[in-house]
Amino acid sequence: MQHLIILPVLLPLFTGVALLIHRGGALTLRRTANVLSTIALVVVGILLVAESTDDTIRYYALGDWQPPFGIILVLDRLSALMVMLTSVLALGSLLYACAGDDEQGSNFHGLFQLQLMGINGAFLTGDIFNLFVFFEVLLIASYALLMHGGGKARTHAGFHYVALNLLGSMLFLIALGVIYGTTGTLNMVDISMAIPSLSPVDLGLVKAGALLLLIVFGLKAAMLPLYFWLPRAYAAAPAPVAALFAIMTKVGIYSIIRVYTLIFGEQAGPLANLAQPWVWWLGLATLALAAVGVLSARDMRTQVAYLILISVGTLLAGIGMGSEAALSALLFYLIHTTLVSGGLFLLVDAIAQQRGKAGARIVQSRTLTQPTMLGLMFFAGMIAIAGLPPLSGAFGKALLLQAATTVQQYWLWPILLTSGLAALIALSRTGSTIFWRASGEKTGTTLGPLRAAGALMLIGCAPLIVAFAGPITAFTQATAAQLLDRDAYVQAIIARGDTGGDA
Amino acid sequence: MEALFATTTGILAASGLYLALRGRTFPVVVGLTLLSYAVNLFLFSTGGLTTGKAAVISGDAGEYTDPLPQALVLTAIVIGFAMTAFSVILAMRVRGDVGSDHVNGNRIDEPREDKS
């Protein structure tokens, strides 16, 4: 199955375009087409992960232009894992959306598929300009999805989001221009081979380009000075879109991992590991501030958005630690946090719909229609996201704490553990206000089967990750080893001896 | 030529950045557009500035300009145009929904609209 690698891009592209063309078609038909296409993506994702486990790095040369000249899609363990994670998260949020959120505005289904195409493309591409193009595809779809349903809060948050990301895209282009001007190539592997032989004059330019890229990826990932757009945008977005956006910060995290292990990794000579100190300190600072944010949130949606920021801070700190063990731990944590925080967005929306006027605000209100079911789900999600045993968050955090060296422990342990405590305090306060300090009759609508399925599927991943922690850890360890083994990656893409070099 | 090119790019970028930091949506959109022009010019120059050379490799031409930046600029222009159109419409929508064209929704110095 040589063409399997391009399917995660082509499948959503064709479905998305077809859905946009037939936007007046029967609703059931559009929903079915979207769900079937997403299920197919899950299957493709599983096949890709299965294919990547033999540790060979495969690439797909578009138009058969061989690297470094053509654009390539690369499949390694990390890409396969991210594609599968995206499809599972998408299926959960799509099921939830099909209960009615998709009809609040137009073109939800088409945009949803185009969004998936952008995300999958960003995870698979091996060309840095192509990464920019896929970033734009996913951003353009996300602009429209964020404002799906309209309303004051959404357009307002939307304008900030669009303006910031346009600036980000321009910085991305400047960084690419600098890197292309000095190294003469855009293929990531080829850039990484060109860097050790750069002249000292060009070295400074490439360094500037590399750090500009960090700003761009930091904006996407919501790293400290660049995260202020996130709580507002995510809290304003419709629930299924916010749930899908849980993977968007991870696109930034993925790009940081990819670019700063492959291009500016150990072998980059004077530029080796140049992003790590930045990512480490900014990650810790993000973590600390997000913990304060979780405590101060007055609205459940904002609170979940800050929980996403906690996870971003944790992941960034993990990247900053720079060891194989830390990389493996953060990948485990990434799987958990993406699925569970997506599920929490859905759950919070379901709770808000049963509370009448109070909505998602953390205030005393009337009793929920289904307090037991939603309460149990909230309890499970809260334990998982705050990182308490026995659910998945505890494993991810424990692995990360274990991976820290002695010096790193002084910083990581108190900040990570305190942020967990802050999340726990804030979420217990929210939970007791919503479920216990409620009075009055039940008036809200009950949770439909589709909504319940979507939220349950994502939150249910927390115990599943624990149940399969053995194989998942084995996979993430192998992924981390593969990421740090740059020579094997280069060998797989370009055998330099054959082409004789392009000087 | 290099000096002129660099100055133009610099002025465009500086004006764009200044406008993008303004408080109202229209200057912000214009600023983002100017910035994207600056970025396009910059990308164009990354292949080196030459005149009178073939744009693609041909059999007899010894020297040629790098065609890749031109392809990159073309992509960037297409995306930039689409995004400008989108942000203009969005800015109008914000004006309609929020009732103010301030980026943070302030209405303090908004002149009253005469509905007569």
Side-chain angles (χ1 to χ4, degrees):
Chain A
M1 278 300 280
Q2 182 206 348
H3 297 290
L4 193 66
I5 302 178
I6 202 171
L7 269 186
V9 180
L10 286 188
L11 188 68
L13 173 65
F14 288 134
T15 322
V17 170
L19 283 167
L20 283 180
I21 292 173
H22 296 285
R23 60 180 179 276
L27 182 59
T28 342
L29 193 69
R30 277 182 287 146
R31 281 179 180 165
T32 320
N34 200 352
V35 171
L36 283 181
S37 165
T38 313
I39 291 176
L41 262 186
V42 176
V43 175
V44 171
I46 293 171
L47 288 176
L48 285 177
V49 167
E51 198 166 63
S52 71
T53 47
D54 63 354
D55 276 320
T56 43
I57 293 164
R58 295 173 171 79
Y59 71 85
Y60 184 90
L62 289 150
D64 208 19
W65 283 85
Q66 291 302 314
F69 303 109
I71 289 173
I72 52 167
L73 300 180
V74 184
L75 178 79
D76 66 345
R77 280 171 177 265
L78 181 62
S79 308
L81 174 70
M82 298 305 288
V83 167
M84 189 177 90
L85 193 60
T86 311
S87 60
V88 174
L89 181 73
L91 187 61
S93 44
L94 181 62
L95 285 178
Y96 190 92
C98 283
D101 287 298
D102 54 346
E103 276 308 286
Q104 286 171 3
S106 45
N107 288 330
F108 177 85
H109 295 287
L111 290 167
F112 191 87
Q113 288 293 324
L114 290 180
Q115 170 92 68
L116 291 183
M117 172 205 162
I119 297 175
N120 286 339
F123 288 145
L124 284 170
T125 185
D127 181 285
I128 202 157
F129 194 80
N130 204 225
L131 182 68
F132 164 77
V133 174
F134 279 120
F135 261 49
E136 287 302 306
V137 172
L138 75 88
L139 281 174
I140 291 170
S142 79
Y143 299 151
L145 279 179
L146 176 65
M147 276 165 277
H148 177 77
K152 205 168 155 180
R154 278 178 199 157
T155 19
H156 203 193
F159 190 78
H160 290 192
Y161 179 71
V162 171
L164 265 176
N165 277 304
L166 283 180
L167 271 176
S169 305
M170 283 161 207
L171 287 180
F172 201 162
L173 279 177
I174 295 176
L176 293 186
V178 170
I179 289 176
Y180 177 74
T182 42
T183 62
T185 174
L186 288 166
N187 185 300
M188 290 202 235
V189 171
D190 210 25
I191 296 176
S192 84
M193 291 193 301
I195 284 194
S197 54
L198 281 177
S199 71
V201 183
D202 287 345
L203 217 52
L205 275 174
V206 173
K207 192 174 178 186
L211 290 175
L212 269 178
L213 277 184
L214 185 64
I215 297 181
V216 180
F217 298 151
L219 179 68
K220 300 283 183 296
M223 197 164 67
L224 174 66
L226 307 165
Y227 80 63
F228 299 101
W229 57 272
L230 187 139
R232 200 169 183 179
Y234 280 34
V241 175
L244 181 65
F245 279 13
I247 195 83
M248 296 270 279
T249 48
K250 276 69 185 182
V251 177
I253 300 278
Y254 164 85
S255 312
I256 293 179
I257 297 179
R258 176 66 80 211
V259 168
Y260 298 101
T261 57
L262 176 60
I263 303 182
F264 304 103
E266 292 291 339
Q267 289 91 341
L271 297 181
N273 298 331
L274 92 163
Q276 267 166 15
W278 292 95
V279 173
W280 163 250
W281 292 112
L282 291 176
L284 287 178
T286 313
L287 192 55
L289 271 183
V292 178
V294 166
L295 283 171
S296 70
R298 291 179 175 188
D299 182 291
M300 284 191 283
R301 293 200 178 101
T302 319
Q303 201 163 48
V304 182
Y306 276 109
L307 288 171
I308 288 214
L309 282 176
I310 287 194
S311 74
V312 167
T314 314
L315 292 170
L316 286 172
I319 299 175
M321 277 150 59
S323 61
E324 191 178 317
L327 214 49
S328 152
L330 86 89
L331 289 174
F332 185 91
Y333 184 75
L334 188 145
I335 303 174
H336 140 81
T337 186
T338 310
L339 295 172
V340 174
S341 46
L344 274 177
F345 268 120
L346 299 181
L347 182 63
V348 158
D349 188 64
I351 293 174
Q353 284 185 358
Q354 301 195 355
R355 296 181 75 220
K357 269 188 191 163
R361 278 179 296 141
I362 306 171
V363 289
Q364 292 183 35
S365 168
R366 58 183 62 173
T367 320
L368 273 73
T369 324
Q370 296 161 299
T372 322
M373 180 189 167
L374 290 181
L376 283 176
M377 278 165 76
F378 185 82
F379 185 61
M382 169 185 133
I383 286 185
I385 202 84
L388 293 187
L391 291 184
S392 48
F395 283 72
K397 282 192 181 174
L399 286 171
L400 210 54
L401 292 174
Q402 218 176 21
T405 60
T406 323
V407 186
Q408 287 164 346
Q409 277 176 5
Y410 291 124
W411 292 98
L412 184 73
W413 283 38
I415 298 181
L416 188 59
L417 293 174
T418 318
S419 78
L421 179 68
L424 186 65
I425 293 173
L427 285 169
S428 358
R429 200 183 54 197
T430 310
S432 50
T433 312
I434 288 168
F435 294 103
W436 292 344
R437 286 197 216 133
S439 55
E441 69 220 69
K442 303 173 177 178
T443 51
T445 48
T446 51
L447 192 65
L450 277 174
R451 289 212 159 105
L456 262 178
M457 181 184 148
L458 293 182
I459 291 185
C461 285
L464 274 184
I465 292 172
V466 176
F468 294 100
I472 294 178
T473 319
F475 187 85
T476 56
Q477 270 164 359
T479 312
Q482 196 181 44
L483 277 171
L484 293 178
D485 188 5
R486 194 200 72 125
D487 292 334
Y489 196 94
V490 172
Q491 279 302 318
I493 308 293
I494 299 174
R496 180 128 258 215
D498 296 353
T499 55
D502 57 1
Chain B
M1 189 168 62
E2 274 82 0
L4 180 66
F5 199 93
T7 323
T8 317
T9 315
I11 291 175
L12 272 176
S15 332
L17 195 61
Y18 173 75
L19 286 175
L21 294 172
R22 302 291 292 168
R24 296 194 171 219
T25 49
F26 183 68
V28 172
V29 172
V30 176
L32 291 172
T33 317
L34 285 184
L35 261 180
S36 78
Y37 291 159
V39 170
N40 289 343
L41 281 178
F42 175 73
L43 266 188
F44 183 74
S45 69
T46 54
L49 295 173
T50 45
T51 47
K53 300 274 159 56
V56 284
I57 310 171
S58 61
D60 49 319
E63 284 184 64
Y64 61 95
T65 52
D66 191 349
L68 197 65
Q70 300 169 24
L72 302 187
V73 169
L74 204 58
T75 318
I77 288 176
V78 173
I79 294 176
F81 268 5
M83 288 327 299
T84 309
F86 183 80
S87 50
V88 167
I89 296 296
L90 182 60
M92 287 169 65
R93 180 86 180 266
V94 171
R95 176 74 181 80
D97 281 1
V98 185
S100 150
D101 67 347
H102 260 271
V103 285
N104 52 6
N106 280 346
R107 289 195 187 200
I108 302 158
D109 50 357
E110 179 84 350
R112 290 255 164 190
E113 231 173 90
D114 206 350
K115 291 257 171 89
S116 62

